[in-house]
Amino acid sequence: MTALYLDLDFIQNAIPVFGKALWLTLHLSFFGIVFSILLGFFIALVQFYKVRFLSALCQAYIELSRNTPLLIQLFFLYYGLPQVGLQLTSYTCALIGVIFLGGSYMAESFRAGLESVGRIQLESGRSLGLSEMQLMFYVVLPQSLAVSLPFIGANAIFLLKETSVVSAIALADILYITKDLIGSYYKTNETLLLLVLCYLVVLLPLSFLFLALEKYYKRKMA
């Protein structure tokens, strides 16, 4: 059995490079997830209240977003739009792509939560004189979030992992740096180890955060 040897000097020198790339990944993931949640919530509300025209438009967007890979969306934004005179930076294309993909998944998560609230509760709230805004904040949201949170957490983790494809449009995220270092120094084991550690450092706290939020809402609703 061959022993695994790691070049610790290479790892030490590569850590700052990975740190810079990880910051870019975190920055992209944070804003991508936040705006995906906002977009998804808006779309879920439109579908929940069955707003004419907008509801059909939102459903078309969901089908388009969920049935096209993020990589294809990025290629369209980065290589396709310049053909019609619209030039965007690789970071802007990556952010738009993550939001476009994530919004549809978040919308479905929120929709599942909103539809879990019984119509009888809505009618009871209206009969008590609650406005639609009060009904949303005091009746619908507290119950729907308890259902939606596990799906929102899973989608957030999914989106963070999906950012690995942005290297295809020359954005220096951690996967881009990994391929670059392997190609330059042939330190495959050391570089892949740093890649795995970077994802663990980000994904584990995010998983624990959403798990804690889920438990908090379950206790609150009990």
Side-chain angles (χ1 to χ4, degrees), residues 199-218:
Y199 275 113
L200 286 177
V201 164
V202 176
L203 292 174
L204 285 179
L206 188 62
S207 299
F208 289 136
L209 172 63
F210 278 102
L211 184 60
L213 286 173
E214 182 182 346
K215 289 182 178 179
Y216 168 77
Y217 269 97
K218 283 183 177 180

Side-chain angles (χ1 to χ4, degrees), residues 32 34-35 42 44 48 58 88 90 119 125 127-129 134 140 150-152 159 188 190 205 208:
V34 168
F35 284 109
F42 170 76
F48 182 70
C58 288
L88 300 175
S90 56
R119 293 290 173 182
S127 67
L128 292 173
Q134 291 173 322
V140 177
F151 302 105
I152 294 172
L159 288 177
T188 304
E190 293 84 351
F208 289 136

Side-chain angles (χ1 to χ4, degrees), residues 67-85:
N67 290 288
T68 53
L70 177 58
L71 185 60
I72 302 302
Q73 297 169 11
L74 292 176
F75 281 168
F76 171 78
L77 292 169
Y78 191 70
Y79 297 110
L81 291 184
Q83 303 302 316
V84 294

Side-chain angles (χ1 to χ4, degrees), residues 163-213:
T163 59
S164 61
V165 304
V166 302
S167 60
I169 56 172
L171 196 61
D173 70 326
I174 52 179
L175 185 61
Y176 181 95
I177 293 299
T178 298
K179 293 186 290 186
D180 186 55
L181 290 177
I182 291 176
S184 299
Y185 300 100
Y186 303 100
K187 299 289 185 178
T188 304
N189 293 329
E190 293 84 351
T191 309
L192 291 179
L193 174 63
L194 289 173
L195 175 66
V196 171
L197 290 176
C198 283
Y199 275 113
L200 286 177
V201 164
V202 176
L203 292 174
L204 285 179
L206 188 62
S207 299
F208 289 136
L209 172 63
F210 278 102
L211 184 60
L213 286 173

